[in-house]
Amino acid sequence: MSKPQPVHVIGGGLAGSEAAWQLASAGVPVLLHEMRPQRSTPAHQSGTLAELVCSNSFRSDEADANAVGLLHEELRRLSSLILTAADRHRVPAGSALAVDRIGFSTEVEAALATHPLVTIIREEVASLGAAGWPSVIVATGPLTTPLLAQALQGLTGEDSLAFFDAIAPIVHRHSIDFTKAWFQSRYDKGGGNDYINCPLDRSQYETFVAALGAAETIPFKDWERDTPYFEGCLPIEVMAERGRETLMFGPMKPVGLANPHDGGRRPYAVLQLRQDNALATLFNMVGFQTKLKHAEQVRLFRSIPGLEQAEFARLGGIHRNLFVNSPRVLDEVLRLRADRRIRLAGQITGCEGYVESAAIGLLAGRFAADEWHGRTPVLPPATTSIGALLRHITTGAVAATFQPMNANFGLFPPLDGSSSPPVKGKANRRQALSARARRDMEHWLAAMGAVCDGAAETAAAADR
């Protein structure tokens, strides 16, 4: 008897790692192809699977108030490897889920490397037409190599869209001046003191914004000049160009904070830093992704009170990000319409964010496992966070204006109006959407279980 064909997963980031885990957990052999460390990218620093190249935050963990927090909850229910590792390596971050990035990625790689059905192959895959590969998941993320991007273009007939992703600097805690800075979360959420706050008065803030406007940035290559930014991850200097007060209503907003060095008064603006590792020795500058030249970063960021002697473990950077026009090229189970052997997963599909990438990787893995076992996939309800995200990138978005999207309640179908009394207020509406998502998630889990049980009974009958 011939050995069953494995599913090939290309890319060992969050989406590829999650897809491989879901396949293996379903009894499907997997060949996981990751080109690092043989070939690196402009953003990665290691060869470890599931490396977090930008922030260490998985964003809000509040399931009743935030669609990303609800997505966390759903992924936990679906036995996500990424969320399991994130929970085990959690570091303080208020109401957000942030992780020790090294511990997190090390655990993900160890789980896959020791699974008997997973084989990790350290090589670059440059073609999608390999003979004998009946099932492929492409999860190469925003830094897909030119050769593989060309292969996708050749299959889909669509030009890949592109935008820039920017990385925030990381500061050594010991170099922060706590005679000026202090620990506190906005409105004392989470542990109440999960963030380091560096305050600016009005004069300091306006001087900082003016200096940002005059600072030197990394020059673009000719082929990068027309690439748009993703609105949810704008460089700090680009935000500052949009108006003098843009930053103080964005990442530097001072609401919910009281400066103990100034009689408990609220500062005019504030830079927050979030813990980046389990030892609490590294803190990243929240919302300060940047394309400034390195010398300019050091000069400007050391002008912020509390960071005058700052030592940087990593300065900010920028890299090109690719995604396909998913509503045009993917079907409802993430297969390329042009070649149904091939699924896409993660940020290359136009979802944005760590958790969203892992979620689409999870679905791609489960859909491929269903196909391998001869089952018909059961789609998640569009009323769940994971289902709303899937629907948006496959059938829900307008292809002509498609752009990357984070999970958010705006993707959910509206409440049906049957509530009595009607739901009023944003907070109540979000709670109602979350409650509906939980109910529908239970039905989906039961439906998937019934499909698997039915397939097992059919297989047993065939054996008899």
Side-chain angles (χ1 to χ4, degrees):
M1 181 181 293
S2 61
K3 293 177 65 176
Q5 289 275 8
V7 174
H8 293 256
V9 178
I10 306 173
L14 273 67
S17 295
E18 186 66 67
W21 180 256
Q22 294 298 324
L23 283 159
S25 298
V28 179
V30 182
L31 295 182
L32 177 58
H33 304 263
E34 170 53 54
M35 70 179 185
R36 295 176 296 112
Q38 276 72 22
R39 177 175 176 179
S40 191
T41 74
H44 288 88
Q45 297 184 3
S46 77
T48 311
L49 300 180
E51 179 186 339
L52 304 181
V53 298
C54 297
S55 168
N56 70 322
S57 175
F58 285 64
R59 311 198 316 283
S60 175
D61 203 33
E62 296 182 296
D64 285 326
N66 190 287
V68 176
L70 180 60
L71 187 55
H72 290 177
E73 181 180 293
E74 293 174 358
L75 290 177
R76 291 180 181 114
R77 296 291 312 279
L78 293 165
S79 301
S80 162
L81 172 63
I82 296 303
L83 261 291
T84 298
D87 285 336
R88 287 179 180 165
H89 295 277
R90 187 172 193 149
V91 298
S95 57
L97 172 59
V99 304
D100 176 335
R101 66 177 74 225
I102 295 176
F104 165 79
S105 59
T106 299
E107 172 155 336
V108 172
E109 178 161 314
L112 291 167
T114 57
H115 197 292
L117 289 178
V118 178
T119 301
I120 300 172
I121 302 173
R122 300 288 184 169
E123 67 175 13
E124 179 183 357
V125 176
S127 170
L128 296 174
W133 288 18
S135 182
V136 182
I137 296 175
V138 179
T140 47
L143 298 175
T144 298
T145 60
L147 286 176
L148 199 57
Q150 290 170 15
L152 281 171
Q153 283 183 314
L155 281 173
T156 64
E158 293 292 327
D159 290 337
S160 291
L161 302 176
F163 61 89
F164 284 107
D165 229 355
I167 301 171
I170 295 176
V171 178
H172 289 279
R173 174 181 170 173
H174 69 78
S175 68
I176 299 173
D177 182 357
F178 284 95
T179 66
K180 299 177 181 178
W182 77 98
F183 278 94
Q184 186 187 4
S185 302
R186 288 190 179 102
Y187 301 110
D188 295 322
K189 285 190 174 184
N193 61 349
D194 292 341
Y195 291 82
I196 296 174
N197 300 277
C198 296
L200 294 86
D201 61 27
R202 181 168 186 164
S203 175
Q204 290 166 332
Y205 173 79
E206 291 179 349
T207 298
F208 178 73
V209 170
L212 275 177
E216 288 189 87
T217 58
I218 298 170
F220 295 143
K221 298 175 183 177
D222 290 341
W223 53 270
E224 295 174 327
R225 295 184 189 280
D226 295 327
T227 304
Y229 292 109
F230 172 51
E231 286 292 319
C233 195
L234 289 173
I236 191 79
E237 61 277 5
V238 174
M239 283 188 273
E241 290 173 356
R242 297 187 171 184
R244 188 181 65 183
E245 296 184 340
T246 301
L247 294 179
M248 63 177 294
F249 285 98
M252 299 185 76
K253 62 186 177 185
V255 296
L257 298 170
N259 186 352
H261 306 303
D262 190 26
R265 284 188 283 270
R266 188 173 84 175
Y268 186 78
V270 67
L271 162 68
Q272 286 200 313
L273 297 102
R274 180 180 54 236
Q275 186 175 329
D276 201 75
N277 66 343
L279 295 175
T281 57
L282 300 175
F283 280 73
N284 65 62
M285 299 170 64
V286 177
F288 264 54
Q289 54 275 358
T290 181
K291 62 184 180 74
L292 295 176
K293 289 186 174 181
H294 284 182
E296 294 284 67
Q297 292 183 45
V298 173
R299 178 179 65 84
L300 285 174
F301 297 154
R302 283 182 177 168
S303 72
I304 296 172
L307 297 186
E308 291 90 344
Q309 304 299 320
E311 297 176 15
F312 297 93
R314 182 189 73 186
L315 288 164
I318 191 165
H319 57 270
R320 192 168 185 258
N321 208 339
L322 297 176
F323 64 98
V324 301
N325 194 321
S326 290
R328 194 167 286 160
V329 304
L330 297 182
D331 68 11
E332 63 182 3
V333 289
L334 300 169
R335 295 177 302 191
L336 282 178
R337 298 181 189 278
D339 189 336
R340 295 182 185 271
R341 296 177 307 118
I342 300 169
R343 282 183 166 84
L344 302 190
Q347 282 187 255
I348 199 169
T349 66
C351 66
E352 178 60 31
Y354 292 150
V355 186
E356 292 87 341
S357 295
I360 299 303
L362 182 147
L363 290 176
R366 288 188 169 224
F367 293 159
D370 285 335
E371 188 176 83
W372 193 90
H373 285 294
R375 301 189 297 254
T376 300
V378 181
L379 299 181
T383 51
T384 62
S385 193
I386 195 169
L389 186 64
L390 175 69
R391 186 181 73 162
H392 175 76
I393 64 174
T394 55
T395 62
V398 177
T401 57
F402 182 64
Q403 286 291 318
M405 183 66 70
N406 294 116
N408 65 84
F409 283 121
L411 301 181
F412 287 49
L415 296 167
D416 59 15
S418 63
S419 303
S420 182
V423 177
K424 295 183 179 180
K426 182 164 64 175
N428 291 333
R429 176 178 167 275
R430 289 179 173 181
Q431 288 182 356
L433 289 169
S434 295
R436 182 184 66 178
R438 291 188 180 97
R439 291 193 299 269
D440 291 351
M441 172 63 70
E442 290 296 333
H443 296 320
W444 181 46
L445 291 172
M448 286 194 295
V451 168
C452 291
D453 291 343
E457 291 174 5
T458 299
D463 288 341
R464 289 195 298 269

